[in-house]
Structures are given as structure tokens and as C-alpha cells.
Amino acid sequence: MSSLKLAVEVVSAHDLMPRDPQGSANAFVELHFDNQKFRTTTKEKDLNPVWNEQFYFNISDPASLPELDLEAYVYHINRANNNTKSFLGKARLSGTSFVNHSDAVALHYPLEKRGIFSRVKGELGLKVFLTDDPAVRSSEPVPVIDPFPATIATTSTSASSILSHQAQTQAAAILENRSEQTKYSFYHLPSEQHQYSSVAPQGEPPVRFTVDEMKPEPPRVVRMFSSLSSQQPFDFQPKETSPSLGGGRVIGGRVIPGEKAGAYDLVEKMQYLFVRVVKARELPSMDITGSLDPYVEVRLGNYKGVTKHFEKNQRPEWNEVYAFSRERVQASVVEVVVKDKDRMTKDEFVGRVIFEINEVPTRVPPDSPLAPEWYKLVDKKGEWIKGELMLAIWNGTQADECFPYATHADDIPTDSSIQTHIRGKVYHAPTLWYLRVNIIEVQDIVPSDKNRFAEVLVMARVGNQTLKTKHCQSRTPSYQFNEDLLFVAAEPFEEELQLSVVDRVGPDKDEVLGHVRIPLGEIARRLDNRPVRPSWRDLKRPGLINVDQLKEEKFASKINLRLCLEGGYHVLDESIHYSSDLRPTSRQLWKQPIGLLELGILNADGLHPVKTKDGRGTCDTYCVAKYGRKWVRTRTIIGNLSPRFNEQYTWDVHDHGTVLTIGVFDNCHLSEKSSSSSSNGQRDTFIGKVRIRLSTLQTERVYTHSYPLLVLQNSGVKKMGELHLALRFSATSFVDTLYSYSRPLLPKMHYIHPLSIIQQDQLRHQATQIVAQRLSRTEPPLRKEVVEYMSDAHAHLWSMRRSKANFFRLMSVFSGLLAVGKWFNDVCMWKNTITTILVHFLYLMLVVYPDLILPTICLYLFLIGLWNYRFRPRYPPHMNTRISHADAANPDELDEEFDTFPTTRSAEIVRRRYDRLRSIAGRIQAVVGDIATHGERLQCLISWRDPRATALFLLFCLCAAVVFYVTPFSVVAIILGFYWMRHPRFRHKTPSLAMNFFRRLPARTDSLL
């Protein structure tokens, strides 16, 4: 049995519903979990009872913990009515919200109704956590006493006649010790058999309050659908949390309002001290040249921020903002020092301005920015000197407008040249277009060798993309192609379309006969499938420099083209399964948003070190979120394995069938070996990512979960930490959201003029490369490996693990049909006589009344869906190691998956993998051959390949036609159905006549080489 236990501490309740005539209640709590039930003591006449009582539940199967719920019921005991209990409310906690003991805090949960007509109010305080400490003992059966202390405390004649002398002695001892006990242990009893003993068990606390046991064998719950066993380790599952955010505490997806919520209501408020250094004037001269090289140093305790310095400038302007986290502030003053940069000796002190932290004003957006002021400088003795400094200092939060571009002085790296690489930014991916080039024909081509027929092709090039037409030979100077070439182009259009007419002179020798350059900005755009008018373009011969030759060339060779930029397509720059945007390219075709997506990136916890700094493992973490064309990047938290981001972002939602992707990375610019000049050779390390499909979210609910960051490595799957997110999807119109289910997934041009699978793969690769190239040109750059990791650019490559995962997914899809087939086979074999008889009656009814077939199927599906509502997911789905087949993959398969393309492994390893692939392909080949054989036997029934078999089949068809004509269809169906479900006594172990006939039919296997 597992040592994992669930600890529940019932703390208190307040503002309960009064139930007795005196306006009070005798409250106690019953806890239900995993077929166990425990009960607290009863608090008499108290609407705000305090228990502080702790319970330990055994967890029979830790793998099923996410599917279990802890239910806490609050009852009132009615003393005047034979100790009957009345319902006061309940609280339900999902198994995904349980945390470890170190993270557990007491939370107050609003009491819920049990039914529509229930009247409840108040809250129940619980502290719930998981523990695997073997020293913690779970509840065990102990001698029973009356669970209600008030009954024991009441001395009456009837109680004395029922209770024995030993039981009265124990009850008295319990009442004496109640004042000394702050927490009680509650134990599980096997039934309602009441025994009494004056001796407590050895080694146990002297106080025990008993509870009722639930039914030992509850009815087994069977899901009415077949699914793949997707349970994975508890540590790899997302966990629901209840953080205190800007809008209030989140409990079970509901927000309990706290203080006034601002724009950042999905993140925790982080208090900062902002110092804005604007400029200085009339600074004193500090060297013999009569000038100085000033810079400013902002100090707060052990933290400081330094501005850039200006050479020989007494009126410098910096306009830089520094932010200090109030949690780390240990000083009482802020010191702003002006210094003179000296390359030869120590920097000289010029003057300073000192502020008391307690006197710094507070700014709350949307208040206007605080106006900077001129402050006179003082020397070290506190005397006024020449020079003034313009500053602004205030207290604020991450909602301040200065926060994104502020320098976090308590996180400043050693090298100030990489400041831009640690700031958070919002990126917009370029607008991508499909460029369609339809090459119709080329005329008046003059090859260099006129004694041979030229093999002409047209080569088109846009940026790094190159495509070619097929070779064409002709006896005339005109060559017909009529081929479509598709490219990906990005706004602003910086590249040109280069077309070259090439003659294949030899196997590896091409001769350019003419070329033309067309700027992409001159090409027409179309939004639908209207035909594009062709146009003739003049071809220039390469190397023409003479003006007379240029004039002759104008009438020499031409190319006929149809060019257009397709605005009706959605350019696929990511996998369609994880697509975050499905809109067409042209804005004119966009619909109105159907909702708003809000994401709060709270913090990461327990990150695995990915590099060493100063001899210890560390991580410089930042997050990237992608949805649609908007990419966001948080600031980099330096040297912290549990970074707190608390940054919030929003996106417009046009289709809720899309996916939000959040990735966590390590910044390579801050490692010891990297610098601003050498970091290009390094890569940002992947720590993990989270995908959330918007269609799985309920509207207006706040999802606060801690997602495990899982990374697949050569050694296997590894948990790199956890990412804490807050998510909310708000729909502007419920009708529009439902209507979106009826719309096509992609724009209509994908269906009117569809792209082939090969074209989609090629264009997706090109689009990803263009997006990565454009985003790497920003400041700070979003590196290429980050864009590819977020877009799953390498998901199309071969992987044995993915192949197995897809195969088992396919088997899971058909497992329902297989289960139905197995059940029907049991019916036919009469393994359960009652079930078989009922199936006969149902079949007879459906045959006699065929109008009931479709209603029965629809009603059955409705009932299945209604039954499965009990098992609906409580949280958005996350990456599953079982479904991904990551926990069962061997090292060689993983090494093959992470191999480059083309391979870099040795010839022996490649040969072994090739042999393994041949073995697998051989099995697939055999299965495909068997399917083809059965199909060819069906065709052989009427093809006269076996004349005797065909004659027998035709004779059977003629007799069957006569029988079916004179016999009602319902009679035939009843006879066939009853024959199919006949009793095993009337069956033979040998195959049936029809099966023997079918298997003897010939196929084309004897014609194969």
C-alpha cells in the first residue's frame, strides 16, 4: 500500500446559517474522501465555530488522485429532535488542487448548496496537503464513544442505564482532557457496532473521537466510453492553486473580491520603488579642462543602478528609470549620487540627493505620470553646492507604465552592455502572404547552341526560397509550362522575385538564357479565386552592358506570367494542431473578435539548474507566450531558481479553437562564457512549455494551475520545474461563440483552391524561417531556436516514439468499437442468458418498428454524454507522458529522434536503425497486403476469374432475389439476426459455409513477383 496520505485540518467556519430557535447552530463537519468518512466534534451554539482538528486519509491509488474529490459537509445537530442533522453547506476540493505540506495554507472556501432549494451561507476554513512521511499514522478503528460531546456531558438517568461504568469513566476522562488537547486524531470504524473500553490503545493519544464508516464496497463506476490509459505520475500533472491575485483570492476558478482591482487583476501585486533620472544642469567643473564626464549612481542599500556617462557635458540628459523591489529593500533612504568618470583614477564625487523612503509618494495608475522636479545637489557634509538634478521618485507596482523599460537595479548583470537582453518586450510577427507565380510560357528563346533542342526550365527565387519548373523541350522558340509556384513573402516586402530561364546544357551545367527582377510591392493582391490577368515580361540576357544590345534585347525574349499575392489564405507558420491563429492574411476578411484572452504569468518554482555561475547551478529565466501574431517576452530574472514574474498580457480571440503556447527559456547572454560579441554561437536553453486550447476553457472562469515543465531529452522525459499561470477567457457574445462551431476551420480559399500536403509542409517551413529571421532582428532579439521551439518546427521529422504514440491513439479510437464487438460476441455465445434475451427483444422491436432506430441511437448517445459529465476534466489538458509514449521509449529511439537531418551518427548505428525500420515496415506491408487480398476476393465474386465460384455466387444472388422479393424485409432481418445470435449448441467450431467460400476465392497475390 502507498505511504502517501491526505491531511485535512478543519480550521474554522464563520457566518453559518442559524438553524435553532435561538438563532444559532450546533455545527460539525463530515469529511468524505476515497470511501472514508470522518467527523469533527460538535460546537454548541456557535455560528463561528473553531475546530483546529486534523485528519489523515489513506490514498489507495496515488495515480487516481486527480480524479478524487474531497468533500466537506457542514451539518447542524438538532438536540430537540432525536439528534437529527440539518445541512448547512458543503465545499468540494478537486484532487488536482492538493499541494505539499510546505506550500499548504489555510483557505476559506464558500459553502455551496446541495440542491436548488438549499439555503446556505458562510465559509469553511480548511488546510489540505499531501504527505508521505512514514511517521504519520493513518486512521484506524478504535473503541467507539458517542460522537457528540454534548450527549456525553449530559448526565441523565437514561444515559446512566445505557452506558456501562467503564464507558462513563472514559467519557469523564475525555471531558477532563479536552482543555489540554488542541488537536484530535480521528479514527475509522468498521461499522456501527458500538463498544466501549476504558483503556486507550498503546502509544496513541488518550483522546479519540469516532466516525462512521462508509460502505465497504461501493458500486463500481464504469465510464461509458473507451479511452487510452492516460494516467501519468502525480508529479507530472498540473495542480490547481488558490493564489491571492490583484482581483482577490481565486478558489475553484471563482474570484473572491478583495481590495480594488486594477488592470493587473490576474497577477500578484509587486511593490516597486521607481527612480527616474531625467537630466542635470550647471554641474561644477571637476578637471583642469573646466568640464566633467558625469553619470548618476542610484543607491538603495546594497543595490545600485548606474546610468551611462557623457564626456565633457555639464548639462547631460539621461532619462533612465530604475526599479527596486520593495521586498528586498533593507535601507531607509535612497541616495542619488552624481559622479565624474575618470579613466585614470577613481571616479570623483560631485554631489548627491537623499530621499527618505517613508516620504516617497505612491502612484496608482491610471494616474498621470509623476512630474520630475529639480533638486539641488549637496556634498558629503550636507551643504548646498552648484548644480541641480531633475528626478522623479515614487512607489508603484508592475502596472506602472515605466515598468517594461525600467532597469531593475537589484537584478543588474555584471556587463551593462547586455541590459537590453533582459527586458520584457511585446513582438508582432510580420504579416505573411502566399506569392503565387503561374508560369505560362516563354517565347523567342535563343539557345547558345542552335544545333540542339534546348531543355528549358524556369527558376524562380524569392529571398532564400528557390523553386523550379519541369524541363521542357520544343522545336519552336516557344516553351509551354503552365505551372504554379508558391512562395512565402512577408511585409514589408524587401525581396524581389527573380525569374531566370535556364537551359540544361549538361548533367551539372546550366546556362542562363534570360532573367527578370520584379519587386514584390508591384504585384497585385487578390482576396478570392477571381482569375488573374496574365502579363508579359521582358527577359534580359546576363552580362549585357551595351546600350544597343539592350535595345535589341527588348524585342528578343519574353515570359508570360500570372502573379498575385494571395490574401484569402491563412499562411501556416505552425502545425495546424497547435495553431494559434486561423485568420486569412488580408485584414479585409477578418471577423470581429469573439472574446478576450487574459494571461497572468505568476512564477516558476523548483527550476532545474541549466548552467553554472560562480561554482553553483543557476538559471536566468524568461518566458515567451505566443498567440496569433502577438508574441510576448517577460523580463529575465537573473540567478533565481524560483523566479517571480507577475506579468499580465491580453489577446483578442477570433476563434476559440486555437492554442496558446507558453515557453520557459534560459537566457544565454548572461552565462559566464558569453558576451555581447560571442553569444551568437550559443543557444537559449529550453526549460519547457505549456499548451492550452481555448475551447477547453469555461468563460469568465479564472484558471490558476501550476503546470509541470516537461522536457524530452536523450535520457528520457525530465521535469525541469513548474510554471504557475492564471488564465481567463471572456466571451463577448455567447451566440457568436456557438456560431463559430459552424464556420470552417480555415479560410474558404483553402477549400476552393486547396494546397497539397507537400506544398503545406514546404510553405510552413519557409514561413517559420521568415518569422524567426524577422523576430531575431528585433531588440532584444527573439532567437531562432526560441521561435522554432514555440512553433514545433521539427515535429514533422520521423520519430519512433511518435509513431508508437499515434498507433496507440488510433487503437484507443477503435477500442470502443472493439469493446462493442466483444460484448456482442458474448451475447451471441449466450454467456449471460438474461442479457442475450433482452438483446433479442430489443432487436425484434427495432426490426418491427424501424422508425425507432435513429431515435434510440440518439437517445443512447445523449445518455452516454450525460453520464460522462461526471468525469469531465477539471482543468485544461496538459502534455501527457503516457499518451506521448515518452515514459516507455528506449534511449536508442530517443537518440534517433534528436539526431539531426541529415544524420550525424556512425554508419553502424544508422545500419542498425535502418534494419529495425525495415522490420517494422515489413509488418505494415503484410497488413496492407492482407487488406488488399480481401478486397480482391470481393472483386473476384463477379469477375469470372474462378468461373465455378462466380457461377455459384450468381446462382445464389438469383435465388436470394426471388426470396427477398416474396418475403418481407422485416422477416428476413429477424431470421438473419436470430441466426447470428443463435445458441452455441447450434454452432460448429469450424468456419461457416460463407467464410469457407470466401477464403477459397483467388486474389492477385499469385501475380506478384
Side-chain angles (χ1 to χ4, degrees):
M1 176 180 259
S2 174
S3 62
L4 189 65
K5 297 178 179 62
L6 177 68
V8 181
E9 182 178 349
V10 182
V11 182
S12 62
H14 66 272
D15 196 21
L16 296 178
M17 179 71 69
R19 289 296 187 185
D20 58 9
Q22 291 78 24
S24 184
N26 306 324
F28 68 93
V29 180
E30 279 188 3
L31 300 174
H32 297 240
F33 179 78
D34 199 9
N35 299 332
Q36 303 167 63
K37 180 170 70 174
F38 296 96
R39 178 186 294 158
T40 67
T41 56
T42 304
K43 298 299 180 181
E44 305 287 337
K45 307 295 183 181
D46 193 354
L47 294 178
N48 299 282
V50 177
W51 288 282
N52 288 325
E53 299 173 5
Q54 197 164 9
F55 306 84
Y56 290 98
F57 292 87
N58 277 328
I59 300 178
S60 58
D61 184 10
S64 62
L65 183 60
E67 299 180 0
L68 300 178
D69 292 334
L70 171 66
E71 295 179 337
Y73 294 90
V74 185
Y75 291 104
H76 157 73
I77 188 70
N78 191 349
R79 303 298 186 192
N81 190 15
N82 197 18
N83 287 342
T84 58
K85 59 184 182 181
S86 302
F87 181 75
L88 294 179
K90 70 173 182 178
R92 173 178 292 183
L93 283 71
S94 174
T96 59
S97 63
F98 300 155
V99 297
N100 296 326
H101 182 268
S102 58
D103 300 327
V105 293
L107 300 176
H108 285 79
Y109 298 89
L111 294 178
E112 302 176 355
K113 296 181 179 181
R114 183 168 56 182
I116 301 177
F117 303 102
S118 300
R119 294 182 57 196
V120 299
K121 69 173 183 175
E123 296 180 348
L124 176 63
L126 299 174
K127 183 179 180 181
V128 184
F129 57 90
L130 296 170
T131 178
D132 56 356
D133 187 0
V136 176
R137 303 188 60 181
S138 60
S139 303
E140 298 176 355
V142 295
V144 180
I145 62 172
D146 192 342
F148 305 111
T151 307
I152 297 175
T154 305
T155 59
S156 62
T157 305
S158 59
S160 299
S161 61
I162 296 175
L163 291 176
S164 66
H165 175 70
Q166 293 179 351
Q168 293 180 12
T169 305
Q170 184 188 15
I174 291 172
L175 293 177
E176 290 178 2
N177 293 332
R178 285 187 61 186
S179 60
E180 301 176 3
Q181 301 291 332
T182 57
K183 293 184 180 180
Y184 303 90
S185 298
F186 294 81
Y187 290 87
H188 191 69
L189 293 181
S191 65
E192 296 186 355
Q193 299 174 356
H194 297 280
Q195 306 179 30
Y196 300 94
S197 175
S198 59
V199 181
Q202 189 71 20
E204 298 291 340
V207 180
R208 302 286 184 269
F209 290 99
T210 62
V211 295
D212 296 331
E213 185 185 75
M214 300 184 71
K215 295 181 179 180
E217 289 294 337
R220 179 173 297 180
V221 178
V222 180
R223 299 193 184 187
M224 298 300 293
F225 63 93
S226 178
S227 63
L228 182 67
S229 178
S230 58
Q231 288 296 333
Q232 58 178 346
F234 178 75
D235 201 34
F236 289 175
Q237 298 176 2
K239 303 173 184 62
E240 188 175 8
T241 60
S242 299
S244 294
L245 305 180
R249 179 173 290 276
V250 180
I251 298 178
R254 295 179 301 177
V255 179
I256 301 177
E259 57 186 62
K260 182 179 179 181
Y264 281 55
D265 61 338
L266 290 185
V267 293
E268 300 175 1
K269 286 187 177 181
M270 301 180 66
Q271 301 294 330
Y272 286 91
L273 176 67
F274 293 94
V275 180
R276 180 184 178 192
V277 182
V278 183
K279 56 185 176 180
R281 65 184 180 185
E282 299 178 0
L283 296 178
S285 302
M286 301 300 294
D287 53 21
I288 58 177
T289 61
S291 183
L292 79 165
D293 303 331
Y295 70 92
V296 175
E297 195 174 86
V298 183
R299 299 176 182 171
L300 181 58
N302 296 329
Y303 304 109
K304 68 178 181 180
V306 181
T307 67
K308 59 183 178 181
H309 76 278
F310 291 91
E311 295 185 359
K312 302 184 182 303
N313 192 338
Q314 292 180 301
R315 303 178 66 89
E317 294 187 8
W318 294 282
N319 198 23
E320 298 184 14
V321 180
Y322 296 89
F324 300 85
S325 176
R326 294 299 301 268
E327 294 181 354
R328 303 183 183 181
V329 171
Q330 298 179 353
S332 59
V333 296
V334 180
E335 188 176 2
V336 184
V337 183
V338 181
K339 289 188 175 183
D340 176 32
K341 186 76 173 180
D342 198 329
R343 301 181 183 273
M344 304 299 295
T345 62
K346 184 178 180 180
D347 296 345
E348 298 184 36
F349 176 86
V350 178
R352 65 182 178 182
V353 180
I354 299 178
F355 299 92
E356 293 286 340
I357 291 182
N358 295 332
E359 298 178 359
V360 174
T362 300
R363 175 179 177 264
V364 179
D367 294 348
S368 298
L370 200 66
E373 301 181 27
W374 287 104
Y375 293 91
K376 296 192 63 117
L377 300 178
V378 298
D379 57 12
K380 295 182 179 180
K381 299 179 181 179
E383 299 179 357
W384 303 106
I385 63 173
K386 180 182 179 182
E388 292 181 320
L389 187 64
M390 179 176 282
L391 299 170
I393 181 170
W394 70 94
N395 290 316
T397 64
Q398 70 267 38
D400 200 287
E401 293 88 348
C402 297
F403 181 80
Y405 59 86
T407 300
H408 293 261
D410 47 0
D411 283 336
I412 293 180
T414 305
D415 189 359
S416 59
S417 63
I418 57 177
Q419 278 291 325
T420 56
H421 293 281
I422 66 174
R423 290 178 177 170
K425 292 293 181 180
V426 176
Y427 307 83
H428 283 277
T431 303
L432 302 178
W433 295 74
Y434 282 148
L435 172 62
R436 186 181 297 274
V437 180
N438 179 239
I439 301 175
I440 304 174
E441 63 176 328
V442 179
Q443 289 186 357
D444 301 332
I445 293 297
V446 181
S448 58
D449 187 2
K450 299 182 179 180
N451 296 324
R452 54 178 288 273
F453 294 111
E455 295 184 16
V456 177
L457 62 90
V458 179
M459 181 183 300
R461 181 184 180 91
V462 177
N464 297 326
Q465 309 170 62
T466 303
L467 295 177
K468 301 177 181 178
T469 65
K470 297 179 181 179
H471 295 83
C472 182
Q473 287 185 333
S474 176
R475 297 180 178 272
T476 64
S478 298
Y479 297 85
Q480 302 288 334
F481 295 97
N482 197 22
E483 292 188 30
D484 269 354
L485 304 179
L486 280 177
F487 300 88
V488 179
E491 292 183 350
F493 300 120
E494 301 174 352
E495 297 89 0
E496 293 181 331
L497 171 62
Q498 304 176 25
L499 297 173
S500 302
V501 179
V502 179
D503 179 17
R504 178 63 56 88
V505 179
D508 296 322
K509 183 178 180 182
D510 294 335
E511 179 184 357
V512 178
L513 303 179
H515 65 88
V516 62
R517 294 175 177 265
I518 305 173
L520 298 184
E522 299 178 0
I523 299 177
R525 308 179 183 186
R526 73 169 182 174
L527 308 182
D528 48 24
N529 61 335
R530 296 179 182 177
V532 179
R533 298 179 61 181
S535 61
W536 289 94
R537 301 276 180 170
D538 297 329
L539 295 176
K540 299 180 181 179
R541 288 185 180 179
L544 291 181
I545 55 176
N546 193 344
V547 177
D548 296 335
Q549 290 179 337
L550 289 174
K551 291 181 179 179
E552 294 178 1
E553 176 66 19
K554 183 176 181 181
F555 302 98
S557 302
K558 296 180 182 295
I559 184 171
N560 194 10
L561 304 169
R562 290 190 183 95
L563 302 176
C564 68
L565 290 168
E566 299 282 6
Y569 287 91
H570 167 70
V571 179
L572 299 170
D573 59 341
E574 53 193 346
S575 174
I576 189 64
H577 303 293
Y578 317 128
S579 183
S580 60
D581 188 12
L582 300 172
R583 293 172 294 172
T585 299
S586 177
R587 287 181 173 269
Q588 301 178 22
L589 302 178
W590 289 4
K591 305 293 183 181
Q592 290 296 323
I594 65 171
L596 184 69
L597 175 63
E598 299 169 272
L599 171 67
I601 303 177
L602 302 180
N603 62 283
D605 186 45
L607 295 181
H608 187 78
V610 297
K611 59 187 176 185
T612 58
K613 187 181 295 184
D614 298 330
R616 64 182 182 89
T618 185
C619 189
D620 303 322
T621 314
Y622 68 92
C623 298
V624 175
K626 175 189 183 301
Y627 185 76
R629 299 179 183 175
K630 181 179 177 181
W631 297 62
V632 297
R633 169 178 174 162
T634 66
R635 69 189 189 281
T636 301
I637 306 298
I638 302 174
N640 195 339
L641 298 180
S642 297
R644 298 177 59 197
F645 301 99
N646 286 307
E647 299 186 21
Q648 183 171 341
Y649 304 95
T650 59
W651 289 269
D652 287 331
V653 178
H654 293 80
D655 192 329
H656 68 292
T658 47
V659 176
L660 168 69
T661 306
I662 306 102
V664 184
F665 304 89
D666 174 74
N667 199 327
C668 70
H669 292 85
L670 304 177
S671 61
E672 291 181 348
K673 298 181 181 179
S674 67
S675 63
S676 59
S677 60
S678 63
S679 61
N680 292 330
Q682 298 190 9
R683 296 168 61 90
D684 286 355
T685 306
F686 317 137
I687 299 179
K689 64 181 173 183
V690 177
R691 296 194 197 101
I692 300 175
R693 186 170 294 275
L694 269 60
S695 59
T696 62
L697 304 178
Q698 298 180 15
T699 56
E700 303 300 336
R701 176 177 177 177
V702 178
Y703 289 85
T704 53
H705 289 81
S706 181
Y707 294 89
L709 299 173
L710 306 178
V711 175
L712 189 64
Q713 301 177 348
N714 290 342
S715 57
V717 64
K718 183 177 182 180
K719 180 180 178 182
M720 302 292 290
E722 294 186 351
L723 181 63
H724 195 189
L725 302 175
L727 195 69
R728 178 171 58 204
F729 170 56
S730 304
T732 56
S733 173
F734 181 71
V735 176
D736 293 341
T737 305
L738 296 181
Y739 174 70
S740 63
Y741 282 98
S742 64
R743 299 206 307 260
L745 185 65
L746 294 171
K748 65 178 183 179
M749 280 295 293
H750 286 269
Y751 308 99
I752 297 176
H753 197 172
L755 306 176
S756 65
I757 300 298
I758 298 178
Q759 285 180 322
Q760 292 182 19
D761 292 338
Q762 294 175 348
L763 295 173
R764 182 185 297 111
H765 174 72
Q766 296 297 336
T768 304
Q769 297 301 315
I770 291 176
V771 172
Q773 180 185 7
R774 290 292 181 92
L775 294 181
S776 64
R777 292 161 52 182
T778 57
E779 191 68 31
L782 207 58
R783 299 174 65 91
K784 178 181 178 181
E785 62 268 19
V786 174
V787 176
E788 291 181 348
Y789 181 71
M790 296 287 289
S791 303
D792 288 287
H794 304 296
H796 64 285
L797 298 179
W798 161 258
S799 168
M800 179 68 72
R801 177 190 59 84
R802 289 199 192 98
S803 301
K804 291 181 179 179
N806 291 332
F807 173 77
F808 285 113
R809 286 173 56 205
L810 186 63
M811 293 300 296
S812 175
V813 170
F814 290 103
S815 62
L817 297 177
L818 297 177
V820 172
K822 183 179 179 181
W823 170 82
F824 186 72
N825 183 64
D826 294 342
V827 170
C828 295
M829 301 303 296
W830 289 69
K831 290 189 175 182
N832 190 325
T833 306
I834 298 178
T835 302
T836 304
I837 294 175
L838 291 177
V839 171
H840 278 74
F841 277 110
L842 178 62
Y843 179 76
L844 184 63
M845 182 181 65
L846 293 179
V847 171
V848 175
Y849 302 101
D851 296 341
L852 297 178
I853 295 178
L854 291 180
T856 302
I857 294 176
C858 294
L859 181 61
Y860 184 63
L861 294 176
F862 170 77
L863 294 177
I864 292 177
L866 202 62
W867 178 264
N868 290 337
Y869 181 77
R870 300 176 57 193
F871 312 107
R872 67 191 184 279
R874 304 288 181 176
Y875 50 87
H878 186 51
M879 298 178 186
N880 193 300
T881 56
R882 292 283 175 84
I883 297 178
S884 304
H885 212 71
D887 54 351
N890 59 58
D892 184 65
E893 293 176 354
L894 295 176
D895 182 72
E896 180 184 14
E897 181 173 349
F898 288 101
D899 190 11
T900 58
F901 186 84
T903 181
T904 57
R905 300 297 185 263
S906 64
E908 179 62 25
I909 296 178
V910 174
R911 184 191 64 79
R912 186 173 66 249
R913 292 174 179 172
Y914 176 67
D915 291 341
R916 181 184 61 190
L917 189 60
R918 289 178 62 190
S919 176
I920 297 174
R923 300 172 194 171
I924 299 176
Q925 172 184 289
V927 173
V928 174
D930 290 341
I931 296 175
T933 298
H934 291 311
E936 290 170 353
R937 285 172 178 171
L938 288 175
Q939 295 177 347
C940 186
L941 288 173
I942 55 176
S943 64
W944 293 93
R945 186 173 185 182
D946 185 344
R948 288 176 294 274
T950 303
L952 289 174
F953 178 72
L954 295 181
L955 182 61
F956 170 78
C957 291
L958 179 61
C959 297
V962 175
V963 173
F964 291 158
Y965 179 77
V966 299
T967 307
F969 176 76
S970 58
V971 176
V972 175
I974 292 174
I975 295 175
L976 292 178
F978 281 16
Y979 174 78
W980 189 267
M981 295 183 289
R982 67 192 183 277
H983 196 275
R985 183 178 301 174
F986 305 104
R987 296 177 181 269
H988 299 281
K989 293 184 178 180
T990 58
S992 63
L993 176 64
M995 186 60 65
N996 294 332
F997 179 81
F998 181 76
R999 287 179 177 176
R1000 290 180 177 275
L1001 293 174
R1004 295 184 179 180
T1005 52
D1006 49 354
S1007 301
L1008 296 176
L1009 291 176

